[in-house]
Amino acid sequence: MKEPMSLEGYDKLIEEFKYLLEVEKPKVAHEKLVAAALGDRSENADYQAAKEKLRFIDKRLFYLNKMIQNSHIIDPSLHEHKQVAFGSSVTLVNIDTDEEEIYTICGVLESEPENGLISIHSPLAKAMLGKKEGDEFKIQLPNMCKEYEIEKIEYKNIFSLKQNIRTKADFSFH
């Protein structure tokens, strides 16, 4: 299944993949070799730690590679956003409470639900997709049913809304 993401999200994926493959993995492999040279591997904590780091790096590389291969890059700035789609920032009104909520639909790896960036696979995003301003919809939650009206649909750059952008320091395994 293709995984929708923005160009910036794809670039971050590639950046992390390259960093892990070209910097972090060789560094940890060297740590493992140095630790192995110290003798008995079965009781060598540094060797065991490096071995475990390599395992984590390989798992992450496998996951990132799969995401890269399955990525479907979408540039939401090219769409009109007359109806809710990937990259749309949607202002909703909770019909029961009359409170406004704003959500932006993005890719899985770009999502920050606590900051209003929700995955395109989330139940709320699925309920909104294809809707237009003025449309109402219901979403069934485990304990309740919520009803919303779409007040406004617009485009805002996903990465301008993110508050947790990963850097190379975040890619490392400490």
Side-chain angles (χ1 to χ4, degrees):
M1 179 170 101
K2 290 291 184 184
E3 192 61 49
M5 68 182 66
S6 68
L7 182 58
E8 293 97 333
Y10 181 80
D11 288 346
K12 274 291 176 194
L13 214 58
I14 296 294
E15 179 184 2
E16 181 178 359
F17 185 84
K18 283 183 176 180
Y19 180 80
L20 288 175
L21 188 64
E22 297 170 2
V23 177
E24 196 68 17
K25 187 171 180 176
K27 181 180 88 175
V28 175
H30 178 72
E31 288 173 12
K32 182 180 167 190
L33 283 174
V34 169
L38 297 176
D40 186 9
R41 294 177 185 178
S42 64
E43 295 192 20
N44 184 332
D46 290 339
Y47 176 81
Q48 296 300 328
K51 190 173 159 184
E52 191 66 23
K53 280 186 200 175
L54 278 175
R55 200 172 302 134
F56 282 122
I57 290 169
D58 285 338
K59 284 180 181 178
R60 184 69 179 166
L61 283 169
F62 180 80
Y63 174 75
L64 293 172
N65 187 49
K66 187 176 177 184
M67 292 298 285
I68 290 165
Q69 287 177 348
N70 294 326
S71 64
H72 174 64
I73 300 169
I74 299 172
D75 184 350
S77 69
L78 301 177
H79 303 285
E80 293 184 38
H81 297 278
K82 290 185 178 184
Q83 60 186 31
V84 179
F86 181 88
S88 293
S89 289
V90 185
T91 303
L92 302 174
V93 175
N94 184 320
I95 292 177
D96 294 328
T97 64
D98 210 34
E99 291 179 22
E100 269 191 8
E101 300 174 23
I102 301 172
Y103 298 100
T104 300
I105 300 175
C106 59
V108 171
L109 297 177
E110 301 164 313
S111 70
E112 293 177 4
E114 68 280 9
N115 297 316
L117 295 166
I118 60 172
S119 163
I120 193 162
H121 302 301
S122 70
L124 181 58
K126 286 180 180 180
M128 288 191 287
L129 288 172
K131 303 275 189 296
K132 297 178 180 175
E133 289 180 7
D135 285 354
E136 294 182 4
F137 67 94
K138 293 179 182 180
I139 180 165
Q140 184 63 49
L141 301 173
N143 300 336
M144 62 177 24
C145 182
K146 285 191 172 184
E147 193 169 354
Y148 292 102
E149 180 181 345
I150 297 179
E151 187 173 276
K152 184 173 161 187
I153 304 168
E154 61 187 326
Y155 167 72
K156 294 179 187 171
N157 180 283
I158 292 167
F159 271 72
S160 71
L161 301 171
K162 284 184 71 64
Q163 295 182 24
N164 302 314
I165 297 176
R166 292 174 46 112
T167 63
K168 287 182 181 174
D170 300 315
F171 301 156
S172 301
F173 287 86
H174 308 288

